[in-house]
Amino acid sequence: MSLQERDKKHLWHPLKQHQLNPDSMAIVKAKGCILTDEDGNEYIDAISSWYTCVFGHCNDFITNRVYQQMRQLDQVMFSDFTHEPAVKLSEELIKILPQGQNRIFFNDNGSTAVEASIKMALQYYFNKGEKRSNFIAFEDGFHGDTFGAMSVSGLSVYNGPFEDFLMDVKRIPVPNGENHDEILTQLEEYINQNDIAGFIYEPLVQGAAGMKIHDAKGLNAILKLCKSSGVLTIADEVMTGFGKTGKNFASDYIETKPDIVCLSKALTAGLLPMAITSCTEEIYEAFLSNDIAKGFFHCHTYSANPVACSAALAGIELLQTEEIQNNIQEISAAHQEFSERVKLHPKVKSTRHIGIIFALDLNTETERYGGLRDKLLKFFMDRGVFLRPLGNTLYLQVPYIISKEELSKVYKVMEEALDAL
Ligand SMILES: *Cc1c(COP(=O)(O)O)cnc(C)c1O
């Protein structure tokens, strides 16, 4: 029996209506940008397996480092113990994180990184004896699938059964270069209620919303206003972190720096699940007290797993090489050229790109899952490209190590899909 058949007996996949869509493709190996299925077919991974494997799959530099670490120290509790990979990772991260970040707290996925950031902001004010229990977030933001993360996410795709249980969160539109005054007025109104602990945002690019890019100046004005009223700013860089936007972090494009940063996805170069919530020294200090209960009592069993830390360290080292930095610039330039060509296509409504992220909106409306979206997915897979449309948005987040030939093929197949529409 094929893996695809055996899969159906006991497995339950995420983001799937199994009755309508029972098949999952079985992947048996991956190397560089190429995924190979159980029938031997190859696919270019044009979204870096959900924005994680940015240095390519099974990257030898990273797997060797991880292998060495596995033989040295596999796992130890991070409550009471510490170890070289975590210490070193904190040192390396602080060097590249947005200015002001000074403390590294470990989680194990993007949602829990966000969850911890929400709890940090709430307890920061609790410890100070100030009652602030509300948050502000962007409309259409996505921050994860646990309850706190779902609450701050504006994009509530199929959250129906849970809506009654979510925190009350105030929403503002993303800045588009024209709605500046309107947003600031609304924001001021919310802030004047005096109960806002934090503002959480995906800096510059909203991933799940369809790689929507917003105005950096407008975001900066929002952050400045938050800062002036003690509203903690939480940059969810889970998707944008580690070079995706052409800089190490999207926050590097914005003058006003966040108080808290959430990281995951490319953090471990796609090798192991891990996440980080970093913060300023000022936030950390609000948890210091002779009262034990003022400490941050939030923990995940695998916090700072040494093997995951070693993958992250190897990834950060690669990210800073001239070769990878050049690749990112070259992909960005190629996207620019492709964008200018493809935006003239009659089936294309608009295009946008930043760093290695490229997206185009189709002229037609389609559902987020099902319908035309499923047909497009099949069209791409049949031609050897793994591209995952989001509603009527086609987007790319190619690995930094993609070859010119592979990237040309991805563009070509996108254009073929447009012609076939
Ligand atoms: C993917 C994502 C998350 C959630 O991360 P998980 O690891 O899937 O829980 C949170 N925020 C952003 C911006 C994301 O892209």
Side-chain angles (χ1 to χ4, degrees), residues 51 109-112 114 142-145 202 208 236 238-239 264-265:
Y51 339 139
N109 60 63
S111 304
T112 55
V114 167
F142 176 76
H143 302 288
D145 284 338
E202 290 165 275
D236 179 352
V238 169
M239 191 281 285
S264 190
K265 294 213 163 99

Side-chain angles (χ1 to χ4, degrees), residues 290-331:
N290 290 330
D291 178 0
I292 293 177
K294 287 199 170 171
F296 194 44
F297 280 75
H298 175 104
C299 174
H300 297 290
T301 313
Y302 280 95
S303 289
N305 171 262
V307 184
C309 287
S310 75
L313 280 166
I316 291 171
E317 196 175 322
L318 276 187
L319 178 65
Q320 290 170 293
T321 60
E322 210 180 305
E323 188 189 342
I324 291 294
Q325 289 298 321
N326 283 342
N327 289 359
I328 291 174
Q329 297 315 319
E330 275 173 23
I331 295 167

Side-chain angles (χ1 to χ4, degrees), residues 260-299:
I260 300 179
V261 179
C262 305
L263 305 169
S264 190
K265 294 213 163 99
L267 168 65
T268 58
L271 215 81
L272 287 157
M274 189 168 79
I276 280 170
T277 308
S278 67
C279 68
T280 59
E281 196 65 10
E282 191 202 330
I283 293 181
Y284 173 74
E285 281 171 1
F287 291 73
L288 299 179
S289 165
N290 290 330
D291 178 0
I292 293 177
K294 287 199 170 171
F296 194 44
F297 280 75
H298 175 104
C299 174

Side-chain angles (χ1 to χ4, degrees), residues 78-355:
F78 203 59
S79 173
D80 302 329
F81 290 112
T82 192
H83 48 76
E84 168 74 20
V87 173
K88 176 97 173 135
L89 180 55
S90 70
E91 292 163 354
E92 294 305 313
L93 268 176
I94 295 305
K95 283 184 205 157
I96 60 168
L97 275 171
Q99 205 192 342
Q101 296 299 294
N102 199 49
R103 291 281 160 183
I104 302 294
F105 185 87
F106 286 93
N107 310 283
D108 43 22
N109 60 63
S111 304
T112 55
V114 167
E115 209 72 30
S117 75
I118 291 171
K119 288 175 69 175
M120 246 178 218
L122 290 174
Q123 193 179 341
Y124 172 85
Y125 278 110
F126 181 89
N127 284 358
K128 282 173 168 281
E130 207 176 309
K131 186 155 172 42
R132 292 201 189 201
S133 50
N134 232 315
F135 283 85
I136 299 172
F138 278 140
E139 289 164 5
D140 292 337
F142 176 76
H143 302 288
D145 284 338
T146 52
F147 272 85
M150 265 196 294
S151 299
V152 288
S153 296
L155 193 77
S156 57
V157 201
Y158 315 127
N159 269 354
F162 317 113
E163 267 159 19
D164 288 349
F165 308 98
L166 302 181
M167 292 159 43
D168 184 27
V169 171
K170 309 270 186 268
R171 306 216 178 272
I172 53 172
V174 291
N176 59 18
E178 283 159 19
N179 56 359
H180 211 108
D181 295 342
E182 180 194 320
I183 296 176
L184 292 183
T185 309
Q186 200 181 345
L187 188 64
E188 214 152 350
E189 235 171 75
Y190 290 146
I191 290 175
N192 285 342
Q193 293 165 13
N194 288 327
D195 63 346
I196 308 293
F199 165 59
I200 184 163
Y201 59 104
E202 290 165 275
L204 282 192
V205 191
Q206 294 186 297
M211 304 299 149
K212 295 268 166 59
I213 300 175
H214 54 256
D215 177 49
K217 275 212 190 98
L219 177 57
N220 193 52
I222 292 171
L223 295 176
K224 263 171 111 166
L225 182 53
C226 287
K227 293 243 166 182
S228 69
S229 352
V231 171
L232 297 179
T233 51
I234 306 172
D236 179 352
E237 294 243 14
V238 169
M239 191 281 285
T240 46
F242 302 99
K244 309 274 182 58
T245 61
K247 295 188 190 256
N248 287 338
F249 300 96
S251 295
D252 296 341
Y253 285 95
I254 300 148
E255 195 191 318
T256 308
K257 302 302 176 194
D259 299 302
I260 300 179
V261 179
C262 305
L263 305 169
S264 190
K265 294 213 163 99
L267 168 65
T268 58
L271 215 81
L272 287 157
M274 189 168 79
I276 280 170
T277 308
S278 67
C279 68
T280 59
E281 196 65 10
E282 191 202 330
I283 293 181
Y284 173 74
E285 281 171 1
F287 291 73
L288 299 179
S289 165
N290 290 330
D291 178 0
I292 293 177
K294 287 199 170 171
F296 194 44
F297 280 75
H298 175 104
C299 174
H300 297 290
T301 313
Y302 280 95
S303 289
N305 171 262
V307 184
C309 287
S310 75
L313 280 166
I316 291 171
E317 196 175 322
L318 276 187
L319 178 65
Q320 290 170 293
T321 60
E322 210 180 305
E323 188 189 342
I324 291 294
Q325 289 298 321
N326 283 342
N327 289 359
I328 291 174
Q329 297 315 319
E330 275 173 23
I331 295 167
S332 182
H335 282 348
Q336 167 77 27
E337 217 183 288
F338 177 60
S339 174
E340 270 160 33
R341 185 167 84 231
V342 81
K343 76 178 173 207
L344 305 173
H345 197 286
K347 293 286 160 52
V348 174
K349 189 159 116 197
S350 59
T351 64
R352 54 193 170 273
H353 64 95
I354 180 169

